[in-house]
Amino acid sequence: MASFPPRVNEKLIARSRTVGELLAPTSPFDKKCGRENWTVAFAPDGSYFAWSQGHRIVKLVPWSQCLNNFLLHGTKNVANSISTRLPRQNSDSGQKNKPCEHIIDCGDIVWSLAFGSSVPEKQSRCVNIEWHRFKFGQDQLLLATGLNNGRIKIWDVYTGKLLLNLMDHTEVVRDLTFAPDGSLILVSASRDKTLRVWDLKDDGNMMKVLRGHQNWVYGCAFSPDSSILCSVGASKAVFLWDMDKYSMIRKLEGHHNDVVACEFSPDGALLATASYDTRVYVWDPYIGVILMDFGHLFPPPTPIFAGGANDRWVRSVSFSHDGLHIASLADDKMVRFWRIDEEYPVQVAPLNNGLCCTFSTDGSVLAAGTQDGSVYFWATPRQVSSLQHLCRMAIRRVMPTSQVKNLPIPSKVVEFLCYQI
C-alpha cells in the first residue's frame, strides 16, 4: 500500500482550472444550519445537473446550458438568477423536448439525490405486473430525493412533477443509488441502520430490507453491472451485498473510523472508500484486498488518532469515468485528484467547507458542494490512458479477479491485466 510521501509539497502540485460556480442565494435572516449542500448529481445521459441548495430546495439545471453560461458570463453565477419556477402540477409533455430549469421544494432538508433512467425491456421483479400506476418509457428520467424525515420523493425531471412518496425509513435518508442497468431499482441508505431496496417500475414497492449495519449507514453504490452493492457506515463498516440474492458477500476491514462514501470504478474491478480516518482506500472488492492507500495527512496518523477527531476527515470520493482518476474532498480545505497508479495527487484545488463531490457523466468536470449550499466546478486531469489500462478496463468489465487469474495465458499477461498492489 502507498501513502502520501514526505517529499511531495502540495503547494507545488498543479492547480485545477476553475470552470464555474453556482452560488446559493442568501438573505440576512437565513439560518446557517439547514443550508448545507449534502449532495450533487449528474443525470446518466449528462442532460441535467442537480444539487441541494439547502432549506428543502433542490435545483435542477440543464447541464449544457450551465456550461454555456459559464463561458458567456464568467465562472460566477448566482443559482437563482436565471431560474424558472415550474408548478409541480405541470405535466406538459412538450417539456421533454427542451430541458428546463426547475426549483423543487421537497418539504424537508434534502440529504441525498440520485438520477434514474428507464430501459423499457427491463421488467419489474414484482410477480404481479399486470397493472401499474406509472408506465415508464425509454426517455424517462427520474430524480430521487432523500429527506431528513426518512421519506424519499421521486420526481419527473422533465416536468418537475412529484410522482411517488416512499415512506418506510425512520431516520435521515443519507444516500440513494439507482441500479445502472435501467431497471429503476433504487437503494436507500439511512441512519436507521438499514438499506432498503425499492422497485420504481412496481410503483415504488419496497422489495427488501438489508440489515447488517450496527450504526448509521452513510452511503451506498452499485457496481456497473448492478450485481453488487457496496454500503458504508459508522464503526468502520464496509459491506458488499449480492443484489440477486440480497445477501451479504463479505465485510472489508481496514479503516479506523467511520466510512462515509464509496464508489466503484467504471469496469467494476475497483472500489474506492473514503473515511474520517484521513484515508481513501482503493480495494479489489472480489478478494477484499487494499490496493492503494491515498493519505490526506503526513505522517499517517496512528489508529487511535485516526479513529477520533482530526482536521483531515475525508468527506467524499468519486471515480472518474476514465477509470484512471479519483477525486477526494477533505476537511483540510482541499480537493485532490489522484491517479490510481500514483501515490500522490496529480492536481489540487482549494475549497472551504466542502461536503460532497462527483464527476460529470463524461468525466471532464468535477462538481463539489459546500456547507452554504453552493457548487464549484473544476476541469479534471486529462491524460492519455496507457495500453495496459485500456486492456484492463476492457477485460475487467466482464471478468472478476478470480476468472482473470485462471485464464490459460502466460503469467506475465495475467499480471498485465490485473490491478496490482
Side-chain angles (χ1 to χ4, degrees), residues 14 26 99 114 146 159 247 249 303 405:
T26 59
T159 65
S247 60
I249 300 172
K405 289 187 175 181

Side-chain angles (χ1 to χ4, degrees), residues 79-366:
N80 279 355
S81 61
I82 54 173
S83 65
T84 303
R85 180 178 290 273
L86 297 177
R88 289 193 298 210
Q89 293 79 7
N90 181 7
S91 58
D92 180 10
S93 60
Q95 295 290 343
K96 295 185 179 182
N97 299 323
K98 185 178 181 181
C100 297
E101 289 193 14
H102 299 262
I103 296 176
I104 298 175
D105 186 342
C106 295
D108 205 344
I109 293 174
V110 180
W111 284 82
S112 49
L113 295 172
F115 281 99
S117 57
S118 173
V119 176
E121 56 268 23
K122 276 285 182 181
Q123 294 295 325
S124 167
R125 297 193 184 187
C126 176
V127 176
N128 179 18
I129 57 173
E130 295 179 1
W131 180 88
H132 292 302
R133 286 172 58 199
F134 300 104
K135 301 291 185 182
F136 294 112
Q138 183 141 15
D139 60 349
Q140 192 75 38
L141 185 59
L142 304 179
L143 179 71
T145 56
L147 307 182
N148 192 67
N149 58 12
R151 296 189 179 190
I152 302 167
K153 293 187 176 182
I154 310 297
W155 310 83
D156 186 316
V157 170
Y158 300 120
T159 65
K161 182 181 179 181
L162 177 63
L163 299 178
L164 292 168
N165 194 354
L166 310 179
M167 297 177 286
D168 209 71
H169 283 296
T170 58
E171 295 284 349
V172 171
V173 180
R174 192 62 187 84
D175 198 16
L176 295 164
T177 182
F178 276 97
D181 61 5
S183 62
L184 288 183
I185 298 297
L186 174 69
V187 175
S188 54
S190 172
R191 286 183 180 175
D192 65 11
K193 307 176 187 178
T194 68
L195 297 127
R196 295 175 192 263
V197 185
W198 313 81
D199 186 354
L200 298 194
K201 287 194 175 181
D202 186 26
D203 297 334
N205 176 50
M206 192 187 70
M207 303 162 54
K208 196 72 177 177
V209 180
L210 303 180
R211 304 183 190 276
H213 286 268
Q214 300 302 309
N215 287 290
W216 290 358
V217 189
Y218 279 103
C220 54
F222 270 102
S223 62
D225 64 0
S226 304
S227 66
I228 297 175
L229 180 82
C230 176
S231 63
V232 297
S235 305
K236 317 170 191 176
V238 183
F239 296 166
L240 295 178
W241 306 84
D242 183 324
M243 292 307 289
D244 290 323
K245 301 176 181 178
Y246 300 116
S247 60
M248 189 181 297
I249 300 172
R250 64 172 56 89
K251 300 178 183 179
L252 302 181
E253 298 182 354
H255 281 295
H256 300 293
N257 205 333
D258 294 357
V259 188
V260 295
C262 60
E263 190 163 0
F264 283 91
S265 60
D267 60 4
L270 302 174
L271 172 69
T273 57
S275 171
Y276 288 165
D277 66 7
T278 76
R279 292 180 171 94
V280 167
Y281 285 159
V282 179
W283 309 75
D284 184 326
Y286 294 97
I287 58 177
V289 172
I290 299 172
L291 301 179
M292 287 294 287
D293 171 3
F294 296 133
H296 294 66
L297 180 63
F298 186 86
T302 62
I304 292 177
F305 182 71
N310 58 71
D311 62 351
R312 294 293 194 279
W313 281 5
V314 186
R315 297 279 180 176
S316 186
V317 68
S318 184
F319 237 115
S320 174
H321 293 262
D322 64 5
L324 191 62
H325 293 94
I326 291 174
S328 64
L329 185 155
D331 280 351
D332 62 353
K333 302 179 181 180
M334 196 73 72
V335 175
R336 294 172 175 84
F337 295 90
W338 313 78
R339 277 180 59 111
I340 60 172
D341 53 359
E342 295 185 14
E343 58 187 10
Y344 54 87
V346 293
Q347 287 185 14
V348 296
L351 180 68
N352 290 327
N353 303 316
L355 293 176
C356 59
C357 66
T358 190
F359 282 98
S360 61
T361 306
D362 63 1
S364 64
V365 172
L366 182 81

